[in-house]
Amino acid sequence: MKAQIAFVCIAFLFASVFVNCEDDKDNKKDDKSEEIKVYKRLIPADVLRDFPGMCFASTRCATVEPGKTWDLTPFCGRSTCVLDESNPAKLLELVEDCGPLPLANDKCKLDTEKTNKTAPFPYCCPTFKCEPGVKLEYPEIKEEPKKE
C-alpha cells in the first residue's frame, strides 16, 4: 500500500513539473507570436468532384472536412476549410501565412539566427534585422473587388 502511495506521489510530482514546463513554453510562444504578423485571406477552395463538400489540400494531397485545419508545408502557413456563410454549398479556404516579403532594402537583411524555415507556423516566418532607424517597407496588398 505504501509503495502505491509513493508511486502516485512521484507520478503527481512529475506531472506537476511537466505541466509547469508546458505553461512556460506556451507563455514564451505567446510573447513571440505578438511580434509575428499573420496575414489571412479567404480564397475559393479546391474541391475534387469525387469528394464534394470537402476541401482539397494540395500540399497534403488529401481531402479536409469543413472546420478542419492543415499546415502548408513546405510553405510557411496553414489553411482551414470553411463553409461560405452566404452560400453554404460553397467551400472557402482561409489561408494564413507570413504575407508578402518586404521591399528590397540594402539596410535590412534576413536574420538567419532567428529565422527557422522548418519551425511550425507562424514561427517559420522570416525575421529581418535592420540598421538603427530603418523600417522595412512592404508592398501594398490590394483586395480584389467581390464578384456577385
Side-chain angles (χ1 to χ4, degrees), residues 37-89:
K37 283 187 178 180
V38 174
Y39 291 82
K40 297 180 182 183
R41 62 191 181 282
L42 278 173
I43 61 173
D46 292 327
V47 179
L48 300 177
R49 70 174 175 246
D50 291 340
F51 298 92
M54 298 184 76
C55 295
F56 178 66
S58 59
T59 56
R60 288 183 44 202
C61 197
T63 54
V64 178
E65 298 172 1
K68 301 290 181 181
T69 299
W70 67 97
D71 72 311
L72 299 176
T73 304
F75 309 103
C76 184
R78 69 176 164 231
S79 284
T80 304
C81 185
V82 179
L83 288 172
D84 187 341
E85 291 176 4
S86 62
N87 180 1

Side-chain angles (χ1 to χ4, degrees), residues 105-108 129-137:
N105 185 333
D106 293 336
K107 297 180 181 184
C108 296
K129 190 183 284 186
C130 297
E131 292 178 11
V134 177
K135 283 190 105 177
L136 285 173
E137 294 181 34

Side-chain angles (χ1 to χ4, degrees), residues 1 23 26-27 60 66 69-70 82 84 103 138 147:
M1 180 73 166
D23 287 345
D26 290 344
N27 290 338
R60 288 183 44 202
T69 299
W70 67 97
V82 179
D84 187 341
L103 300 173
Y138 290 85
K147 297 176 185 176

